[in-house]
Amino acid sequence: MNGVSSAPGYQAPTVTVSSSLPRKGVAEAVLVIGVVSDDDGPKVLSAGSFLDEDAVAAVESTLQALGGTGGEGQTHRLVVPSLPVASVLTVGLGKPRDEWPADVIRRAAGAAARALDKVAAVVTSLSAIDLEAAVEGLILGAYRFSDFRSPKTAPTDAGLTAITALAADAKGATKAQAQRAVDIASAVATARDFVNTPPSHLYPGEFAEQAKALGEAAGLEVEVLDEKALTKAGYGGIVGVGKGSSRPPRLVRLIHRGAGKPRTRGAQTGGAKRVALVGKGITFDTGGISIKPAANMHHMTSDMGGAAAVIATVVLAAKQNLPIEVIATVPMAENMPSATAQRPGDVLTQYGGITVEVLNTDAEGRLILADAIVRACEDEPDYLIETSTLTGAQTVALGSRTPGVMGSDEFRDRVAALSQGVGENGWAMPLPEELKDDLKSSVADLANVSGSRYAGMLVAGTYLREFVADGVQWTHIDIAAPAYNTGGPWGYTPKGGTGVPTRTMFAVLEDIAANG
């Protein structure tokens, strides 16, 4: 048996990998096993090497008597006296398959964890199908956020604290897989924590301090620009958006140099690939003078979801020691109406010199992102990934679970495919050239919004494209709805912050490290 510890920061459950069902120390644990929906009734999957025939038969007959079918996500709690665990939880995987997509296992593990909300220890055979997906799903499904609850309503138990993952091989390589899964799930949970923290407690200055602490703990280079430095350097978008708030803006830079040989500045080839990450960090968005309706404005606590995911991703890259350079540039501001706020009709100068007529102060995300993108491009990256809760039009076009992915055609498609592979389901979208005409201004280089009600997600992406340096492969991931689940929990996704697109961005970084 091999123990795996969680990384500093978010305290994930301890994960142990075992090649057999433990006979001791699991008397209070629940065994989670997958079942499929067969024509003859529910059948236990991938537990034969860990359970004897009598135990499997007992599970299947009891489950059938309870009306269980093995339908995807269906859970049942059983007692099997011959097993050393307190009880068994079956989770449905649907119809049998020759190969199991990782996200089916991840969702099943998440559903199991949610069904076992007050259980401290879990043993699972789902890990024999896909170790990493099972561990990620259990940790993410067990996620809780109760930092602001008083003793009257706070959970009295510690939740899931220990996972035993059953696998055919419990040697070093398998342990490394489990640790990778713990690190990824912990990164997602960190992003969720940021998103779920209320704006009364997570404002630009505090957000920057927490990002700095995480970065320094992971060995990253850290730079923080305050409002004076931003003004002096000409970050007109960040300063313009933030000047309506009594809590001034920040720009945070987190740099992972990687184990590869650094590329010489100005060189087009040689050395490790350099990837820029940019994430929108609006800690609360009232809309500014162009104020939002009161209904559901509290959801705007999630408007820094892109920044949260970027911070979590660059820290994860450092923990996994990816052999590439990853440079995160994270603008942070609070968009408030006040006597000092920018007005519709104002003109500001973005970092780098482009002037913008602000027709709508509620289209503020693109203003702070444009500054950050120009700064990120000064590092001469090979690739740039930007993510943001940018437009309500994303939700209209793609719904609440599907991020829109725009940018350079080849890189956009690569990112979307990797996103779908990890279960975050990004979908490639175009940026038609004619949309640039919708951003014409009579007094400045650009307007920050279109006069048309159509293609709002694509228009926002078109605006950002104007600030990406020539030759940089780039993508914009709009996560307006996917970053924050306003409905009920499902699979491994809780209500509230989801951590999307942390796993997408990390998958892209790993792919670049492996394939350039």
Side-chain angles (χ1 to χ4, degrees), residues 327-355:
I327 305 176
T329 303
V330 186
M332 301 172 176
E334 188 175 58
N335 189 23
M336 300 289 285
S338 73
T340 59
Q342 65 179 352
R343 297 158 292 266
D346 281 0
V347 172
L348 57 77
T349 302
Q350 300 270 193
Y351 183 75
I354 292 177
T355 60

Side-chain angles (χ1 to χ4, degrees), residues 470-498:
D470 292 342
V472 176
Q473 294 290 304
W474 77 287
T475 189
H476 157 56
I477 308 174
D478 194 332
I479 52 169
Y484 194 72
N485 178 22
T486 60
W490 54 278
Y492 51 86
T493 301
K495 185 178 179 66
T498 66

